[in-house]
Amino acid sequence: MLHGREGELRAVDELLRQARTGASGVLLIRGEPGIGKSSLLDHAEAAAEGFTVLRGAGVESETELPFAGLHLLLLPVLDLVDELPPVQAAALRGALGMAQGQGEDRFLVGVAALSLLAEAAGTGPLLCLVDDMQWLDKASADALLFAARRLRAEGVALLLAAREEFAPAGLPELPLAGLDGAAAAALLDEQVPGLSAQVRERVLVEAGGNPLGLIELPATADHTPFPLGPLPLTRRLQDAFSDRGAGLPEQARTLLLVASAEDTGELALILRAARTFGVDEDALESCERAGLVRVLGTRLVFRHPLARSAIYQAAGFARRCAVHRALAEVGDRVRRVWHLAAAATEPDEGLAADLESSAEGFRVRTGHAAAAAALERAAALTPDEAGRARRLAAAADAAIDSGRFERGRQLAEQAAARTSDPRLTARMAMLRADVDFERGALEAACATLMAAAQAVAATDPAPARTMLLLVIRNSWYAGDPALAQEATTRLEGLPHLEDPRRPALAMARGMSALLAGRPAHALPLLREVVEGGRRVRQDLHGLRNNAAQVALLVGDHAAALEIARPLAEECAARGMIGWLPHVNLLQAAAELHMGRHLDAAASAASGESIAGQTGQSHLEAQLCGVRAWLCAAAGQEQDCRQLAARAGSLPYGAAWAQWALGLLDLGLGRYDQALDRLDQAVTHQAAAVPDQVEAAVRLGAPERAERSLAWFEEWTAAAGQPWARALLERCHALLSGDEERFARGLAAHDRPFDRARTQLLLGEWLRRERRKHDARTPLREAAETFDRLGAGPWAERARGELRATGETLTRDPGADLLGRLTPQEWQVVRLAAKGATNKEIAAQLFLSPRTVGHHLYKAYPKLGVTTRTELAGLTLS
């Protein structure tokens, strides 16, 4: 019986109930050690009649072994791996050591785990239990959390338990507090009846409602003097475990120490190592009788993780080293190296080299956290300073790859302090600058890069070129033309290799000129960068990504999409999940500008979801900004403001945030607020200038947009894009009241949202000129387009103007048919209409096939169809 946990039991039972109906759910149980997390998992397992049950746990000493936890959890269903999409199957096999890895992304392993769980739930509901998540190796935790956030309709119940310090974002939580007085007393009386009143009261006070404390403390309370002051509960529990082990025979205590030092729990291996200390198998019975361990198949498992910690820490350092050396003699090659490293007391180049070799093996399996730990320990064991610096640098790289940015920065600083090698110094400078860039510290990143580039420019120009280009990139986000020009000037003084795919000087000079407000000079140079990216059809992902970014800057949205779309497909097919937020942002921005709002929403939502989990905060901010703009166009004020607040938290997303909020205010008629926001947005968003002009004219302050309009006119002439010419004509029509300029703008428009807004402005102008009959056609067409695009406030404004002309237009409820879909449903529907199977869609969108089926099930009635054939017949644009 679980005392005092009625509400928590209901939450767990509800999770199981949902899984029985085919829905999926996840619940993270968090609380201090001994609070009852494992007991709730036990309850779930006992209540899961008819479920397939998978159970795993993190082990403190396994935290550096990549995918150890995931392998243990999925072991019973690994025979289903062949059912997964090939790229996912290969990633999972490589991660779990079932085949040679190919450098797969750890988040792709998460997608594969999700698909495998869905396959395992194919014949009935699945319960997946993972205890002690705080000790799960990072690779397993990343993969499992990635899968958890994508569970939808697979019939999977995922129940995770962790201590309070484990706090991943985006998961529903069930916090566990201590039991109240009545429940604590009931549990104590049930477990240890007959305690004296004095001891009973002491245990109730000292346990603080912690169930494990209530159960364990009575064993020592009778013969332990009262303390002068209270100790932390975890210390008391560790003392209780240590005391229980202290009363065992010497051989049993030795066996427990060996087991505490060997993280796999392999019983045969533990017994072999223990024999070197004269321990026989009878000692195991003593350990089991004491309730400290139990044998599960071929594994020896501690009854509670604190027992392992208490026994290991209670032994002296020399004793622990002896045990690690004994385990090294009986383990495989990898474990031998780990145990010898744990036992090492002085530098050892041979051991350091073995650790470095092990790290390379981990890196192949994307165990970057394990690689970082191995390299860091290898550096500590390296006798010479140069070798130590090199290994610290490698450890820094691996730590960054594993998402431990601050630790990576610390290791990079240690490496830089120990080396005189300019190339290594430059590499560490770039790494530190990358961390600063991710954190939004642009000034610090630029200062680091400029100093490092200067230091190596004369002897090694290649890294100097790279660093100076990074400074110019950062200058764009920071809006610092002087810094960009300084970096460009330095770059011009370096030798260059001619490569039409990588026109570095054109990139630098073009960006500097654009920041300096000289688009006529900038855009022809930047188009060289775009053309260089177009020459590459596969691989060279960074080059192509940069070319698509530059295509957006020069207003060639079609070229940006032409480069980004196959790049996204390639990254998805290869499982390069870390690249997808970059490419999704490019797709979303291009689709937004081209008036494909549904496509843009789907791309942005997909990228934001991944960026939030991979720690790519600068991309998450910009993707939130794109979504905020789309919400502004749709009149979704609350969502727009929430997303804009997230976007504006970093300088990368600030321009998007201000443009989105300015568009929202413009659509709602709040012209003074709109103009204030748009004044800030136009510095980074050329397409925001027409909105600024509109707000300024509405407010009766056209002079506030004069400077921006002059720049936009020069930019438009250099860009040569029809969409820009159309918007420029609209700006001049607003300022001059020239009907011919409205007409020229409408003739040039090739994007529905922009065209409808120009029609609305023309209709408003015609009505004010008392030409009501002439105003009706553009107003009617504008309202119909806005309805079709789901741009609510703009449609209402057009209908209001139309009513003022004497005509009433009723909204067609079927006009915004596709707007009824969520971004995820839209992505699934679009692919299904092209003939893709659920499994193919799942592989492309990093979902499970059953979740794809669920989205189609929800989308069909919204679209008025019942089959894929009918879906293919819809106009999905």
Short mmCIF file of all heavy atoms in Angstrom, two decimals, residues 379-411:
data_model
loop_
_atom_site.label_atom_id
_atom_site.label_comp_id
_atom_site.label_asym_id
_atom_site.label_seq_id
_atom_site.Cartn_x
_atom_site.Cartn_y
_atom_site.Cartn_z
N ALA A 379 43.66 13.63 -20.76
CA ALA A 379 44.50 14.82 -20.61
C ALA A 379 45.15 14.87 -19.24
O ALA A 379 46.33 15.21 -19.10
CB ALA A 379 43.66 16.07 -20.85
N ALA A 380 44.38 14.51 -18.20
CA ALA A 380 44.94 14.53 -16.84
C ALA A 380 46.08 13.53 -16.68
O ALA A 380 46.98 13.74 -15.87
CB ALA A 380 43.83 14.24 -15.84
N LEU A 381 46.05 12.45 -17.45
CA LEU A 381 47.08 11.42 -17.35
C LEU A 381 48.23 11.64 -18.32
O LEU A 381 49.18 10.84 -18.35
CB LEU A 381 46.46 10.04 -17.62
CG LEU A 381 45.43 9.56 -16.57
CD1 LEU A 381 44.76 8.28 -17.04
CD2 LEU A 381 46.10 9.35 -15.22
N THR A 382 48.17 12.69 -19.13
CA THR A 382 49.20 12.94 -20.15
C THR A 382 50.41 13.63 -19.51
O THR A 382 50.26 14.68 -18.88
CB THR A 382 48.63 13.81 -21.28
OG1 THR A 382 47.50 13.14 -21.84
CG2 THR A 382 49.67 14.03 -22.37
N PRO A 383 51.60 13.10 -19.70
CA PRO A 383 52.78 13.68 -19.03
C PRO A 383 53.21 15.04 -19.59
O PRO A 383 53.61 15.91 -18.83
CB PRO A 383 53.88 12.63 -19.26
CG PRO A 383 53.17 11.38 -19.69
CD PRO A 383 51.92 11.83 -20.37
N ASP A 384 53.18 15.23 -20.93
CA ASP A 384 53.71 16.46 -21.50
C ASP A 384 52.62 17.49 -21.74
O ASP A 384 51.47 17.14 -22.02
CB ASP A 384 54.43 16.16 -22.82
CG ASP A 384 53.48 15.67 -23.89
OD1 ASP A 384 53.05 14.49 -23.77
OD2 ASP A 384 53.17 16.43 -24.81
N GLU A 385 52.96 18.76 -21.64
CA GLU A 385 51.99 19.84 -21.73
C GLU A 385 51.35 19.93 -23.11
O GLU A 385 50.15 20.18 -23.23
CB GLU A 385 52.67 21.18 -21.40
CG GLU A 385 52.89 21.40 -19.92
CD GLU A 385 51.58 21.56 -19.16
OE1 GLU A 385 50.90 22.59 -19.33
OE2 GLU A 385 51.23 20.63 -18.41
N ALA A 386 52.15 19.70 -24.17
CA ALA A 386 51.58 19.81 -25.52
C ALA A 386 50.52 18.74 -25.75
O ALA A 386 49.44 19.02 -26.29
CB ALA A 386 52.70 19.67 -26.56
N GLY A 387 50.81 17.52 -25.35
CA GLY A 387 49.83 16.45 -25.48
C GLY A 387 48.61 16.69 -24.63
O GLY A 387 47.47 16.41 -25.03
N ARG A 388 48.82 17.23 -23.43
CA ARG A 388 47.68 17.52 -22.55
C ARG A 388 46.78 18.58 -23.17
O ARG A 388 45.55 18.46 -23.14
CB ARG A 388 48.20 17.99 -21.19
CG ARG A 388 47.10 18.29 -20.18
CD ARG A 388 47.65 18.56 -18.80
NE ARG A 388 48.29 17.35 -18.26
CZ ARG A 388 48.74 17.25 -17.01
NH1 ARG A 388 48.64 18.28 -16.18
NH2 ARG A 388 49.30 16.14 -16.58
N ALA A 389 47.40 19.61 -23.75
CA ALA A 389 46.60 20.66 -24.39
C ALA A 389 45.79 20.10 -25.56
O ALA A 389 44.62 20.44 -25.74
CB ALA A 389 47.52 21.78 -24.87
N ARG A 390 46.45 19.25 -26.36
CA ARG A 390 45.74 18.67 -27.51
C ARG A 390 44.54 17.86 -27.06
O ARG A 390 43.45 17.94 -27.67
CB ARG A 390 46.72 17.80 -28.31
CG ARG A 390 46.11 17.13 -29.53
CD ARG A 390 47.13 16.30 -30.28
NE ARG A 390 47.70 15.25 -29.46
CZ ARG A 390 47.08 14.09 -29.19
NH1 ARG A 390 45.86 13.87 -29.67
NH2 ARG A 390 47.66 13.17 -28.45
N ARG A 391 44.69 17.07 -26.01
CA ARG A 391 43.57 16.24 -25.53
C ARG A 391 42.49 17.08 -24.84
O ARG A 391 41.30 16.76 -24.94
CB ARG A 391 44.10 15.13 -24.63
CG ARG A 391 44.78 14.02 -25.44
CD ARG A 391 45.58 13.06 -24.61
NE ARG A 391 46.13 11.99 -25.45
CZ ARG A 391 47.24 11.32 -25.17
NH1 ARG A 391 47.95 11.60 -24.07
NH2 ARG A 391 47.66 10.36 -25.99
N LEU A 392 42.90 18.12 -24.16
CA LEU A 392 41.90 19.03 -23.58
C LEU A 392 41.09 19.69 -24.69
O LEU A 392 39.87 19.88 -24.55
CB LEU A 392 42.58 20.09 -22.72
CG LEU A 392 43.02 19.67 -21.32
CD1 LEU A 392 43.89 20.73 -20.69
CD2 LEU A 392 41.81 19.38 -20.44
N ALA A 393 41.77 20.04 -25.77
CA ALA A 393 41.05 20.64 -26.91
C ALA A 393 40.04 19.67 -27.49
O ALA A 393 38.90 20.04 -27.81
CB ALA A 393 42.05 21.07 -27.98
N ALA A 394 40.44 18.42 -27.64
CA ALA A 394 39.52 17.40 -28.15
C ALA A 394 38.36 17.19 -27.18
O ALA A 394 37.20 17.00 -27.59
CB ALA A 394 40.26 16.09 -28.38
N ALA A 395 38.65 17.22 -25.88
CA ALA A 395 37.59 17.09 -24.88
C ALA A 395 36.62 18.26 -24.97
O ALA A 395 35.41 18.10 -24.81
CB ALA A 395 38.19 17.00 -23.48
N ALA A 396 37.15 19.46 -25.22
CA ALA A 396 36.29 20.63 -25.36
C ALA A 396 35.34 20.48 -26.54
O ALA A 396 34.15 20.76 -26.45
CB ALA A 396 37.15 21.88 -25.53
N ASP A 397 35.89 20.02 -27.68
CA ASP A 397 35.05 19.78 -28.86
C ASP A 397 33.94 18.79 -28.54
O ASP A 397 32.76 18.99 -28.90
CB ASP A 397 35.90 19.23 -30.01
CG ASP A 397 36.69 20.31 -30.72
OD1 ASP A 397 36.21 21.46 -30.75
OD2 ASP A 397 37.78 20.01 -31.22
N ALA A 398 34.30 17.69 -27.88
CA ALA A 398 33.32 16.65 -27.58
C ALA A 398 32.26 17.16 -26.60
O ALA A 398 31.08 16.83 -26.71
CB ALA A 398 34.02 15.42 -27.00
N ALA A 399 32.69 17.97 -25.62
CA ALA A 399 31.72 18.51 -24.66
C ALA A 399 30.72 19.41 -25.36
O ALA A 399 29.51 19.37 -25.06
CB ALA A 399 32.46 19.27 -23.56
N ILE A 400 31.19 20.24 -26.30
CA ILE A 400 30.28 21.10 -27.05
C ILE A 400 29.31 20.26 -27.86
O ILE A 400 28.10 20.51 -27.90
CB ILE A 400 31.07 22.04 -27.99
CG1 ILE A 400 31.91 23.03 -27.18
CG2 ILE A 400 30.14 22.77 -28.94
CD1 ILE A 400 31.11 23.97 -26.34
N ASP A 401 29.83 19.21 -28.51
CA ASP A 401 28.97 18.34 -29.31
C ASP A 401 27.91 17.66 -28.45
O ASP A 401 26.81 17.34 -28.94
CB ASP A 401 29.81 17.27 -30.02
CG ASP A 401 30.63 17.85 -31.16
OD1 ASP A 401 30.27 18.94 -31.65
OD2 ASP A 401 31.63 17.22 -31.56
N SER A 402 28.23 17.43 -27.18
CA SER A 402 27.26 16.76 -26.31
C SER A 402 26.28 17.74 -25.69
O SER A 402 25.40 17.35 -24.92
CB SER A 402 28.00 16.02 -25.18
OG SER A 402 28.53 16.93 -24.23
N GLY A 403 26.43 19.05 -26.00
CA GLY A 403 25.50 20.04 -25.48
C GLY A 403 25.94 20.67 -24.17
O GLY A 403 25.22 21.49 -23.61
N ARG A 404 27.14 20.33 -23.69
CA ARG A 404 27.64 20.89 -22.43
C ARG A 404 28.52 22.10 -22.77
O ARG A 404 29.73 22.06 -22.72
CB ARG A 404 28.41 19.83 -21.65
CG ARG A 404 27.57 18.64 -21.26
CD ARG A 404 28.41 17.49 -20.75
NE ARG A 404 29.11 17.85 -19.52
CZ ARG A 404 30.23 17.26 -19.10
NH1 ARG A 404 30.77 16.30 -19.84
NH2 ARG A 404 30.80 17.62 -17.99
N PHE A 405 27.85 23.20 -23.12
CA PHE A 405 28.56 24.36 -23.66
C PHE A 405 29.51 24.98 -22.65
O PHE A 405 30.64 25.32 -22.98
CB PHE A 405 27.56 25.40 -24.16
CG PHE A 405 26.79 24.94 -25.37
CD1 PHE A 405 25.46 24.57 -25.26
CD2 PHE A 405 27.39 24.88 -26.60
CE1 PHE A 405 24.76 24.14 -26.37
CE2 PHE A 405 26.70 24.46 -27.72
CZ PHE A 405 25.37 24.08 -27.60
N GLU A 406 29.05 25.15 -21.41
CA GLU A 406 29.90 25.82 -20.44
C GLU A 406 31.12 24.97 -20.11
O GLU A 406 32.24 25.49 -19.95
CB GLU A 406 29.10 26.13 -19.17
CG GLU A 406 29.77 27.13 -18.25
CD GLU A 406 30.19 28.41 -18.96
OE1 GLU A 406 29.38 28.95 -19.75
OE2 GLU A 406 31.34 28.85 -18.74
N ARG A 407 30.92 23.64 -19.99
CA ARG A 407 32.07 22.78 -19.74
C ARG A 407 33.03 22.82 -20.92
O ARG A 407 34.25 22.82 -20.74
CB ARG A 407 31.60 21.34 -19.47
CG ARG A 407 32.73 20.39 -19.08
CD ARG A 407 33.47 20.91 -17.87
NE ARG A 407 34.61 20.09 -17.49
CZ ARG A 407 35.62 20.53 -16.75
NH1 ARG A 407 35.64 21.80 -16.32
NH2 ARG A 407 36.61 19.73 -16.43
N GLY A 408 32.49 22.84 -22.12
CA GLY A 408 33.35 22.93 -23.30
C GLY A 408 34.18 24.20 -23.28
O GLY A 408 35.37 24.19 -23.62
N ARG A 409 33.57 25.30 -22.87
CA ARG A 409 34.31 26.56 -22.80
C ARG A 409 35.43 26.47 -21.77
O ARG A 409 36.55 26.93 -22.01
CB ARG A 409 33.36 27.70 -22.44
CG ARG A 409 34.03 29.05 -22.39
CD ARG A 409 33.10 30.13 -21.87
NE ARG A 409 33.81 31.39 -21.79
CZ ARG A 409 33.96 32.24 -22.80
NH1 ARG A 409 33.44 31.96 -23.97
NH2 ARG A 409 34.64 33.35 -22.64
N GLN A 410 35.14 25.89 -20.62
CA GLN A 410 36.17 25.74 -19.58
C GLN A 410 37.34 24.91 -20.07
O GLN A 410 38.51 25.25 -19.85
CB GLN A 410 35.55 25.12 -18.33
CG GLN A 410 34.55 26.01 -17.61
CD GLN A 410 33.74 25.25 -16.57
OE1 GLN A 410 33.94 24.05 -16.37
NE2 GLN A 410 32.83 25.94 -15.91
N LEU A 411 37.04 23.80 -20.73
CA LEU A 411 38.11 22.94 -21.25
C LEU A 411 38.92 23.66 -22.34
O LEU A 411 40.14 23.50 -22.42
CB LEU A 411 37.51 21.65 -21.80
CG LEU A 411 36.92 20.70 -20.75
CD1 LEU A 411 36.09 19.61 -21.42
CD2 LEU A 411 38.03 20.07 -19.91
#
